[in-house]
Amino acid sequence: MPTRHRRHTLADVKETYREQATTMAKMDWLNRAFTGRYRRVLFGDATGRVLDVGCGVGTNAQYLDRATEYVGIDISDAVLIEASQHLDESPQETTLYEMDAQDLDFPNDSFDTVISSLSTCTFPDRVEALSEMGRVCAPDGRILLLEHGRSSVGPIARFQDWRADAHFEKHSCRWNQEPLAVVTESPLTTIESSSAFFGMITAIEARPA
């Protein structure tokens, strides 16, 4: 069973990504090589004004249609500096904000699509962050999540469980979470989901409550 980690704070997450921002930017090519096809399938038909929650270095923007308006938020100012450079020549209209995913500073129904990738594992309160995604998404909009979690293959899952605490301490990341279970705890309604890469990658389409 997934390990229960100690509670972490926004300050912990900010410090983690302050230390790792430069590495994240340098290794973005590897991230894209590993997850690019999943991002393309899930985010490729996002429409309208799109909010990317936990945007990191802005990786998701390249998988969106040129006609979309991209708004990215992240808790880490260091990561957003890297994102700004990464998105400098983006074909979309882009805006970045330093912001807490658990307390989004946007009005209700502000976005046509809300996306997030490999991020719920780091939010101190994942359910609250997902609730906020639903609040700022238009009632007829879509919430698209690409998450990683505990493998469906026994030996891999046991290894993840064994290393879970050490991974969490280093990266503020619950790498053996169950993404669908997290969404089920939130007010969002899951429309469709699929898994890949030995069950460690989960794509979820949801809608606001």
Side-chain angles (χ1 to χ4, degrees):
M1 294 298 291
T3 304
R4 290 187 176 275
H5 304 288
R6 69 169 176 81
R7 180 81 172 174
H8 65 321
T9 67
L10 288 176
D12 294 328
V13 178
K14 290 187 73 168
E15 178 62 18
T16 295
Y17 287 102
R18 184 192 65 78
E19 296 173 350
Q20 299 183 10
T22 301
T23 301
M24 288 173 62
K26 288 180 178 178
M27 298 302 292
D28 188 54
W29 67 272
L30 183 59
N31 190 350
R32 288 183 279 110
F34 175 59
T35 64
R37 61 184 180 272
Y38 307 123
R39 297 176 195 255
R40 184 173 293 107
V41 170
L42 186 61
F43 303 144
D45 62 350
T47 58
R49 190 175 188 224
V50 179
L51 175 64
D52 188 1
V53 179
C55 66
V57 298
T59 303
N60 289 330
Q62 66 187 282
Y63 300 104
L64 300 174
D65 189 274
R66 289 171 173 262
T68 57
E69 175 189 351
Y70 178 86
V71 179
I73 71 103
D74 204 283
I75 195 63
S76 170
D77 55 348
V79 164
L80 288 173
I81 290 171
E82 301 289 349
S84 179
Q85 297 172 359
H86 182 82
L87 296 172
D88 189 49
E89 298 182 3
S90 174
Q92 297 105 345
E93 178 182 349
T94 65
T95 311
L96 299 172
Y97 297 99
E98 184 179 345
M99 195 178 296
D100 177 6
Q102 302 159 158
D103 186 21
L104 296 173
D105 191 18
F106 299 113
N108 295 352
D109 311 336
S110 296
F111 296 92
D112 303 293
T113 313
V114 178
I115 67 176
S116 188
S117 61
L118 314 182
S119 294
T120 60
C121 58
T122 65
F123 301 146
D125 190 332
R126 294 167 289 181
V127 171
E128 186 61 29
L130 291 170
S131 298
E132 281 289 273
M133 293 183 204
R135 180 184 66 77
V136 302
C137 186
D140 59 349
R142 303 164 72 206
I143 299 165
L144 306 174
L145 308 171
L146 184 69
E147 296 298 338
H148 70 92
R150 192 170 190 264
S151 175
S152 57
V153 178
I156 300 175
R158 288 191 291 274
F159 174 79
Q160 288 178 287
D161 292 344
W162 175 56
R163 292 293 301 166
D165 286 337
H167 187 84
F168 183 83
E169 290 297 326
K170 184 175 182 179
H171 300 289
S172 295
C173 166
R174 309 174 186 88
W175 80 334
N176 63 341
Q177 70 169 355
E178 301 281 2
L180 276 173
V182 174
V183 175
T184 298
E185 292 177 27
S186 80
L188 303 184
T189 299
T190 300
I191 303 302
E192 187 176 0
S193 68
S194 61
S195 63
F197 200 72
F198 308 111
M200 290 189 288
I201 296 292
T202 301
I204 300 170
E205 177 178 352
R207 61 174 173 79

